[in-house]
Amino acid sequence: MATTPAKTKSPATSGSDASSFRSEHQRDVVNRLKRIEGQVRGLIDMVESGRPCEDVAQQMSAARKAMDKAFYRMMACSVMEAVSVSDSEDQTFREVERSTRILEKYA
């Protein structure tokens, strides 16, 4: 049985590139959360002003879907980061499996 050689890091997955990747995704998730924050403020205003329940429900659904998308985007970053920082195929597998367990737990 042949063994798989350890993965060597390519320039595309160097430490500074991984840090840049993480920073970019953090900004993306924060921006998404800020938009959701605005949606929730709008929902509060809708309820306080007596808007019809169906209108409020529609906006709640949109906010919930936006939150789900932010969650999945954050989890995608987690998987990409796990792959980029792993030193071996076995470690990559363990890190991706860890991310999968988080998805199963919270999704």
Side-chain angles (χ1 to χ4, degrees):
M1 177 183 269
T3 59
T4 305
K7 180 172 99 174
T8 57
K9 292 189 187 235
S10 68
T13 60
S14 69
S16 65
D17 287 341
S19 176
S20 174
F21 176 80
R22 180 182 179 93
S23 178
E24 178 182 321
H25 279 79
Q26 283 176 330
R27 279 191 308 274
D28 178 53
V29 170
V30 166
N31 288 337
R32 288 171 185 266
L33 292 172
K34 286 179 180 181
R35 282 192 298 272
I36 294 164
E37 181 181 34
Q39 285 179 297
V40 171
R41 282 194 199 114
L43 279 163
I44 292 168
D45 291 342
M46 289 176 77
V47 171
E48 289 177 342
S49 68
R51 294 283 297 272
C53 292
E54 186 174 353
D55 292 351
V56 176
Q58 181 181 16
Q59 291 306 309
M60 282 182 173
S61 177
R64 187 177 64 239
K65 287 178 184 178
M67 192 69 166
D68 286 343
K69 287 180 182 181
F71 171 77
Y72 289 119
R73 184 70 173 152
M74 188 257 331
M75 288 306 303
C77 179
S78 173
V79 171
M80 294 299 291
E81 191 173 68
V83 170
S84 72
V85 300
S86 296
D87 293 326
S88 68
E89 189 175 303
D90 188 50
Q91 183 180 5
T92 299
F93 178 79
R94 284 193 308 272
E95 292 298 325
V96 170
E97 183 64 29
R98 179 180 165 277
S99 292
T100 301
R101 283 192 301 275
I102 292 169
L103 276 168
E104 289 171 344
K105 184 176 182 178
Y106 297 113

